[in-house]
Amino acid sequence: MGGRLQAQTRWEGVRARADLGLWYDSAVQFGLLEAVAETDLGDFVLSLGKRHDYSGPWDDTLMGRDGRWGVFARYGPSEIPWLSLEMAYLPHAGLVGGQGFVGASAGIFQLGTFVEIVQMPSGLGEPESSLSLIPRMGLQGREVGLFWQRDRGFWSTASLPLPLGQALAFMLQCPCDSETQAWVEALDKGRFEALLWWNPDWDYLGENSPFLPEDRFQAWLQEPRKLLIGAAYSWNDGLRLGVDLSRAPVEAVRVYVQLYWR
């Protein structure tokens, strides 16, 4: 069973928010999932803290999705409200190096890349510096999102209205009495949530594949690095019941309950 506590406050010119997670299993655990202080400078927004914009389902914990620490900047020209540009610096643990991110959003379309300087071994014994690019692209609507990231594969999320109240009203052939109508309105606050994360092994399709040419596509399709399917029922932003089914690299099932306080 997990819980989330969200807090927001505003100083003059600066807004801060925090998202804390609490989990009870054999012992009480807690963590800071997201905490951001940001200032609005007109078309520019600068922020510092921990955000989960650049994480994904691989960062899901028992307490919720964990964020990444960093410094973030976003530019959204007021004359082009559907366009925004963003940059971020995401340091590694211990402040030893880190990743940069540059990207853009145009309506539902998002495109960007992580940038990092890595040390690669060379035949001369001294490591050589190399620029590593990890592109990310996706579509993000109000209720459905679909993304791809080179090192993580594909993932998709959905959060759709679940009109159980309307179904109840139809079965009872409402108009109903006040108590039943209250149940109808309460049930209509529910939503269905779904998650799919699939990370195929592209090496299975290459010339160095361990499979025969006629078996490569089937192996690529059926033996991914990661396959995770999740479903959840969320009610009124306060209660969430969910199940996650992992098929690769290991088979596992997680059933959980989350409560939210604001």
Side-chain angles (χ1 to χ4, degrees):
M1 180 176 178
R4 300 274 288 278
L5 177 62
Q6 298 174 317
Q8 298 187 20
T9 186
R10 178 183 290 275
W11 300 289
E12 185 175 354
V14 178
R15 182 179 64 178
R17 67 178 185 273
D19 189 357
L20 305 174
L22 177 68
W23 173 260
Y24 177 78
D25 189 359
S26 57
V28 175
Q29 307 170 44
F30 68 93
L32 180 63
L33 304 176
E34 186 174 52
V36 177
E38 61 183 24
T39 180
D40 192 336
L41 303 174
D43 291 345
F44 289 91
V45 177
L46 301 177
S47 57
L48 171 68
K50 190 176 187 181
R51 288 170 43 179
H52 48 63
D53 303 60
Y54 307 103
S55 61
W58 51 91
D59 291 307
D60 283 349
T61 72
L62 296 175
M63 297 172 289
R65 180 161 296 183
D66 201 7
R68 297 185 63 181
W69 291 99
V71 181
F72 312 93
R74 185 176 74 252
Y75 170 65
S78 55
E79 62 273 15
I80 314 177
W82 49 269
L83 177 67
S84 67
L85 308 176
E86 55 187 303
M87 298 180 63
Y89 174 66
L90 311 164
H92 292 320
L95 301 179
V96 181
Q99 286 183 323
F101 182 86
V102 291
S105 299
I108 65 172
F109 300 96
Q110 298 183 14
L111 178 65
T113 184
F114 294 93
V115 183
E116 184 175 4
I117 298 177
V118 297
Q119 300 295 320
M120 303 292 292
S122 67
L124 302 178
E126 293 291 333
E128 295 181 349
S129 297
S130 176
L131 186 65
S132 173
L133 300 178
I134 303 176
R136 168 190 279 205
M137 62 181 64
L139 304 172
Q140 182 61 65
R142 293 183 58 186
E143 299 178 336
V144 179
L146 174 63
F147 291 88
W148 170 80
Q149 187 171 306
R150 193 188 69 183
D151 62 335
R152 299 294 186 173
F154 302 87
W155 71 96
S156 179
T157 59
S159 179
L160 306 173
L162 191 63
L164 296 179
Q166 297 300 320
L168 176 63
F170 176 78
M171 289 187 296
L172 297 178
Q173 297 182 349
C174 286
C176 310
D177 56 51
S178 58
E179 182 176 352
T180 304
Q181 185 61 32
W183 275 102
V184 169
E185 295 176 0
L187 289 174
D188 271 346
K189 296 179 180 179
R191 300 184 70 85
F192 171 75
E193 300 177 5
L195 165 68
L196 173 63
W197 175 23
W198 176 53
N199 187 11
D201 192 333
W202 296 95
D203 292 339
Y204 287 172
L205 297 177
E207 295 182 357
N208 297 323
S209 173
F211 299 95
L212 296 174
E214 60 269 20
D215 297 329
R216 290 175 182 174
F217 180 76
Q218 184 176 359
W220 173 80
L221 190 64
Q222 297 182 353
E223 299 185 26
R225 293 180 177 138
K226 183 67 179 182
L227 177 58
L228 177 71
I229 301 172
Y233 169 76
S234 179
W235 181 78
N236 199 27
D237 296 329
L239 171 67
R240 191 165 182 259
L241 311 175
V243 57
D244 290 337
L245 175 62
S246 173
R247 299 291 296 171
V250 296
E251 294 188 355
V253 177
R254 176 171 73 118
V255 180
Y256 59 92
V257 178
Q258 289 179 319
L259 302 175
Y260 299 86
W261 301 272
R262 183 181 295 273

